[in-house]
Amino acid sequence: MTDRTGKGPGALSDYLEDIFVEDIGLSWVTSKWNVPDELSPEDAERCLPEGGPSAWWLTLPASAVENFDRSRAVRLGQDIRRLVESPLPDGTIRTVWLGATHGTFDPEAYGFGARAWLRELGDAWLTRVRQDDPVFTPPPPQPVRDEQARQAVLGVMRPVADDLDRAASNPGYGLAVHGLVPALRQVVTEACADLGYRLFLRAMKAYFVEVDTSSHDAFVALGQRFGYPEFLVDDNLNHRS
């Protein structure tokens, strides 16, 4: 039996859920950069938890657990480990984090190195998961490291690389982020092609870098290859049709 999506039982609810899935895992967390950024100082003092912006960011892993199905919630823990356990230098991880968040939240300003910050996010995630399942054991990170996937991601990055680097180096607000594209390439080649691609997309959206139809179609096709929710790639992408 199939429903109107052409898939099997339960697919309609999955399809409807996918409409509202703007991102997954760590790239979903970074997508929330504009929430505290849009608050006035008065609203920030009233709305942010005690501890300010860093404490607010640390509420997001619990939100991922509460708002997504189990497999997508688990992805956050895997993404964090993909970076923490990688050979990437802290500086590269910090650059990619800043690029994905439009330079609006620098963990170093709050006393965290890049890996230490990710570990804080990971601890917050695991604490929330274990409230529901006290014996939960995180699955292995399972980074995507096959050469075909790496080259596919690097290939779609190439035509827009200069535009993204210029936008990140000269933002209208937030910290200037230099060397973003080389850092993203390092994530793709040395940590995980899947996570590197999602963080690249997140940076493209953060800086509203325009893409033509050729790049747009390549982005979407690669998202399908990685099995992303249907609208993840297109959501807030600046596609010049």
PDB file of all heavy atoms in Angstrom, residues 26 58 120 129 149 168 175 206:
ATOM      1  N   LEU A  26      24.615  18.703  13.922  1.00  0.00           N
ATOM      2  CA  LEU A  26      25.333  19.905  14.342  1.00  0.00           C
ATOM      3  C   LEU A  26      25.019  21.090  13.436  1.00  0.00           C
ATOM      4  O   LEU A  26      24.991  22.239  13.898  1.00  0.00           O
ATOM      5  CB  LEU A  26      26.839  19.634  14.346  1.00  0.00           C
ATOM      6  CG  LEU A  26      27.717  20.764  14.881  1.00  0.00           C
ATOM      7  CD1 LEU A  26      27.389  21.089  16.336  1.00  0.00           C
ATOM      8  CD2 LEU A  26      29.194  20.405  14.732  1.00  0.00           C
ATOM      9  N   LEU A  58      23.743  26.151  24.696  1.00  0.00           N
ATOM     10  CA  LEU A  58      23.778  24.821  25.314  1.00  0.00           C
ATOM     11  C   LEU A  58      22.388  24.266  25.592  1.00  0.00           C
ATOM     12  O   LEU A  58      22.258  23.109  26.003  1.00  0.00           O
ATOM     13  CB  LEU A  58      24.613  24.861  26.600  1.00  0.00           C
ATOM     14  CG  LEU A  58      26.118  25.059  26.374  1.00  0.00           C
ATOM     15  CD1 LEU A  58      26.833  25.291  27.700  1.00  0.00           C
ATOM     16  CD2 LEU A  58      26.718  23.858  25.640  1.00  0.00           C
ATOM     17  N   GLU A 120      31.110  20.405  25.307  1.00  0.00           N
ATOM     18  CA  GLU A 120      30.018  20.932  26.133  1.00  0.00           C
ATOM     19  C   GLU A 120      28.672  20.663  25.471  1.00  0.00           C
ATOM     20  O   GLU A 120      27.704  20.243  26.123  1.00  0.00           O
ATOM     21  CB  GLU A 120      30.200  22.442  26.347  1.00  0.00           C
ATOM     22  CG  GLU A 120      31.354  22.824  27.253  1.00  0.00           C
ATOM     23  CD  GLU A 120      31.066  22.520  28.717  1.00  0.00           C
ATOM     24  OE1 GLU A 120      29.902  22.667  29.139  1.00  0.00           O
ATOM     25  OE2 GLU A 120      32.015  22.141  29.427  1.00  0.00           O
ATOM     26  N   VAL A 129      19.394  13.027  26.407  1.00  0.00           N
ATOM     27  CA  VAL A 129      19.023  11.702  25.905  1.00  0.00           C
ATOM     28  C   VAL A 129      18.835  10.725  27.062  1.00  0.00           C
ATOM     29  O   VAL A 129      17.873   9.945  27.099  1.00  0.00           O
ATOM     30  CB  VAL A 129      20.082  11.169  24.923  1.00  0.00           C
ATOM     31  CG1 VAL A 129      19.796   9.711  24.559  1.00  0.00           C
ATOM     32  CG2 VAL A 129      20.122  12.010  23.652  1.00  0.00           C
ATOM     33  N   ALA A 149      32.640  10.383  -2.206  1.00  0.00           N
ATOM     34  CA  ALA A 149      31.838  11.382  -1.499  1.00  0.00           C
ATOM     35  C   ALA A 149      32.643  12.657  -1.279  1.00  0.00           C
ATOM     36  O   ALA A 149      32.130  13.772  -1.454  1.00  0.00           O
ATOM     37  CB  ALA A 149      31.348  10.821  -0.165  1.00  0.00           C
ATOM     38  N   ALA A 168      32.333  35.812   3.788  1.00  0.00           N
ATOM     39  CA  ALA A 168      32.704  35.555   5.178  1.00  0.00           C
ATOM     40  C   ALA A 168      33.802  36.493   5.663  1.00  0.00           C
ATOM     41  O   ALA A 168      33.846  36.850   6.848  1.00  0.00           O
ATOM     42  CB  ALA A 168      33.163  34.102   5.326  1.00  0.00           C
ATOM     43  N   LEU A 175      31.836  38.577  13.385  1.00  0.00           N
ATOM     44  CA  LEU A 175      33.274  38.529  13.171  1.00  0.00           C
ATOM     45  C   LEU A 175      33.587  38.170  11.725  1.00  0.00           C
ATOM     46  O   LEU A 175      32.915  37.338  11.121  1.00  0.00           O
ATOM     47  CB  LEU A 175      33.916  37.473  14.083  1.00  0.00           C
ATOM     48  CG  LEU A 175      33.878  37.716  15.590  1.00  0.00           C
ATOM     49  CD1 LEU A 175      34.451  36.508  16.318  1.00  0.00           C
ATOM     50  CD2 LEU A 175      34.673  38.971  15.943  1.00  0.00           C
ATOM     51  N   ALA A 206      24.058  31.271   5.712  1.00  0.00           N
ATOM     52  CA  ALA A 206      24.327  32.321   6.704  1.00  0.00           C
ATOM     53  C   ALA A 206      24.724  33.625   6.017  1.00  0.00           C
ATOM     54  O   ALA A 206      24.294  34.709   6.428  1.00  0.00           O
ATOM     55  CB  ALA A 206      25.427  31.872   7.668  1.00  0.00           C
TER      56      ALA A 206
END
